[in-house]
Structure formats: structure tokens, C-alpha cells
DNA sequence: GTAGGGCTTCCCATCATGGGAAGGTCAAGG
DNA sequence: CCTTGACCTTCCCATGATGGGAAGCCCTAC
């Protein structure tokens, strides 16, 4: 199987397969006489593993660890679980962060007329509730000094 | 005010201030005789605006648009709201994506013993529910004969 | 006069991915 | 036999936003 077919079969682009090889995530494939990379079912299997791990948000570094554990028949499932649990915590943290943004923004957008007038609570928030500088004019304050 | 003080006052690192200037997000500051960048309250204000926008997850490109709207007194709040609404949708999409990952992973982690034994549903999922290949170099190489 | 801290520019690294050029290889069809 | 087109190879560059660090200039304090 050439790299194109392996890409097709695994869902990992040929570009990425070469990259994974380059960074040592996967081992260099065999080469045919014409110097083409040659893959078998095992390699495709590994690529699918990587693809799946990536789709679950694992970094390539985490993926590498998982790959190593997968191929270590004497692994302890606790090691795998630790990687997963850490990743879950990380995802949850990022989700919470973004939810905070959504909450703030939703409130601001709700308060914004969204019409033809210039008044906009969104900009007021970004500006720290004080008026814009650059055009250099109108020092009207919306809040008590 | 030198760049260090402006960084301090705005919460944007000096490194980033220079970068923002370089990519045209902010205009080149004035320079003092010794070629140091010089900032005033207005510039710090702009930097704080950027900082706040970034903290709400807006990209630098979106931030640039918001900045332009902020400084355009004849803007329509609808334009601002459009940027915000789009960003909210984007955040929600990413959150949903990550929540999917968390859901899957939590289930798998829950099912994983996390003990000293090698059996692990997490790896089984990643492997597509089939056993691992390539435990070692003892694997058949498909080199051209 | 020297030590330090701040400033300047320039280059590099990150993370994962894609784009594209320049050139080799192969199979099909004229 | 030769062309065409679809592969493959390596190499370099770009992304987005940020940080790290080197080499060298400037200013102030001692």
C-alpha cells in the first residue's frame, strides 16, 4: 500500500503521515524499490489509532504516550486512565473558560440594540466603560466619576 | 510612557505590543529621541481594549474589526453585534465539540479499571475495538525482496 | 567608569496542519 | 516509443498568538 492508500484507509492525510514519521510518532515505513513508502494493515491500524486519539482531542504528545501503552502488553490500565483523566480535566477547564466568554458575550449581545444606532454595550464593555480615544472628541461619561 | 510601563498599565506584554504594531493592529507609536516607543493614555486605552477582546476569545482579526468599529463614531451597533454573535456561535460550536469528547472519554474512563491490569476500554476504543499490532521489532517487515 | 535595567531589532520555537515547487516514477493510451 | 497524468519524493514556507533569547544601544545610580 502506498501512502495515498494508507491515507485513504486511515483518514490521516499523506502529509500528516510523513510528519508523524518525521517527529518519531510512527516508525519509518518500509520503502519499495522506487523509494515510495509502503504500508501494511498494521501501520494503517496505528494511523487509525492516532486519528481517533486526535479526534478525542489528545495532543500528539499524549497520543504518543497512549500509543506506547497500547503497544505495551504489560501496561497497567491505570496509566492509560491517568492520561485520559488528565485530558478530561483539561477539556473541562477549557470548556468552562469558553462558557464564561459565552455568558458574558451573550449578555452584552442581548443588551445591544443591533440596529442602526452607534450606541453599543459590547464596545462599552471592551472599552472598560469609558469612551474611545483615537477620534479624540466627546468626553461624555456614562458612569459617575 | 515607555513600552514597559504601557505593558504594565494595559496588561499586554511589551513583546505583544511590538507584535501588534508590526501586524498593523495598532499604529506605530511615537518615538523619543533615543528611539524608544512612547505611549500615552490613549494608546494604553487601546491596548486594554485589545486585551479585553482577547480575553473574551476574539481573534486578533475580530479584535481589529471591533477596534475599527469602536473608533468609528458613525458605526451601527448591528455591525458590532454581528461580530459578537458570530463569535458566540463559534464558541458554542467548539464547546459542543469538546463536550462530545468529554462525554466519550468520561464513559471510557468510567469503564476503565484504572488498576494494575492491562485491560483497558480506553485503548480498545482508540484501537477501534481490535487488538494492537507492532508490539516490537519482531514484526514482519514488508521490504521489497 | 561601570553595573544594572530597560529599550531596540532580529531570529527561533511552539502545535498541528496545509500549500506548493521541483523532480522522480509508473501505468495507460496514442 | 513518447506523452500525459497521477502518483510519489524532499524541501521550504505559512498559519495564530505568544514567548525566549541574543547582540547591542541608552540611561541612571553609585
Amino acid at each position: 500500500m502506498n501512502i495515498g492508500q494508507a491515507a485513504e484507509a486511515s483518514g490521516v492525510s499523506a502529509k500528516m503521515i510523513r510528519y508523524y514519521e518525521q517527529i518519531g510518532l510512527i516508525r519509518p515505513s518500509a520503502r519499495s524499490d522506487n523509494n515510495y513508502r509502503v504500508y501494511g494493515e498494521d501501520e494503517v491500524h496505528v494511523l487509525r489509532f492516532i486519528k481517533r486519539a486526535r479526534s478525542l482531542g489528545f495532543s500528539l504528545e499524549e497520543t504518543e504516550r497512549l500509543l506506547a501503552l497500547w503497544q505495551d502488553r504489560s501496561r497497567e490500565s491505570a496509566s492509560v486512565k491517568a492520561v485520559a483523566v488528565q485530558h478530561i480535566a483539561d477539556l473541562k477547564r477549557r470548556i468552562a473558560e469558553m462558557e464564561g466568554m459565552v455568558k458574558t458575550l451573550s449578555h452584552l449581545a442581548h443588551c445591544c440594540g443591533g440596529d442602526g444606532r452607534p450606541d453599543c454595550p459590547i464596545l462599552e464593555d471592551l472599552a472598560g466603560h469609558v469612551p474611545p480615544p483615537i477620534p479624540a472628541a466627546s468626553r461624555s461619561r456614562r458612569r459617575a466619576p
Side-chain angles (χ1 to χ4, degrees), chain A residues 1-2 7 11 19 50 62-63 69 103 119 125:
Chain A
M1 206 186 323
N2 284 344
Y19 174 66
I50 294 169
E62 288 165 326
T63 300
L69 288 166
K103 190 177 171 190
D119 315 271
D125 178 283

Side-chain angles (χ1 to χ4, degrees), chain A residues 14 20 30 32 44 60-61 70 73 94 123-124:
Chain A
Y20 292 161
S32 61
V44 168
L60 287 186
E61 201 181 331
W70 184 38
R73 270 173 302 152
R94 284 155 56 197
L123 291 181
E124 278 167 30

Side-chain angles (χ1 to χ4, degrees), chain A residues 18-38:
Chain A
R18 293 193 197 96
Y19 174 66
Y20 292 161
E21 179 184 305
Q22 191 202 317
I23 64 172
L25 180 62
I26 59 180
R27 293 177 312 176
S29 74
R31 298 285 184 134
S32 61
D33 287 345
N34 54 19
N35 200 32
Y36 286 11
R37 287 175 181 81
V38 175

Side-chain angles (χ1 to χ4, degrees), chain A residues 12 16-28 46-47 49-51 53-54 58-68 71:
Chain A
V12 178
M16 280 302 101
I17 296 177
R18 293 193 197 96
Y19 174 66
Y20 292 161
E21 179 184 305
Q22 191 202 317
I23 64 172
L25 180 62
I26 59 180
R27 293 177 312 176
V46 168
L47 289 171
F49 183 102
I50 294 169
K51 176 80 178 173
R54 295 286 303 123
F58 288 106
S59 69
L60 287 186
E61 201 181 331
E62 288 165 326
T63 300
E64 188 168 22
R65 251 172 281 153
L66 292 169
L67 209 43
Q71 292 165 2

Side-chain angles (χ1 to χ4, degrees), chain A residues 69-115:
Chain A
L69 288 166
W70 184 38
Q71 292 165 2
D72 173 9
R73 270 173 302 152
S74 68
R75 69 185 164 255
E76 304 186 357
S77 68
S79 310
V80 182
K81 191 167 181 173
V83 175
V85 163
Q86 173 60 49
H87 180 48
I88 290 168
D90 214 60
L91 284 168
K92 282 185 172 169
R93 190 185 43 73
R94 284 155 56 197
I95 287 170
E97 203 178 322
M98 288 196 279
E99 275 173 344
M101 296 176 187
V102 167
K103 190 177 171 190
T104 301
L105 285 168
S106 297
H107 172 68
L108 292 172
H110 177 72
C111 295
C112 174
D115 51 30

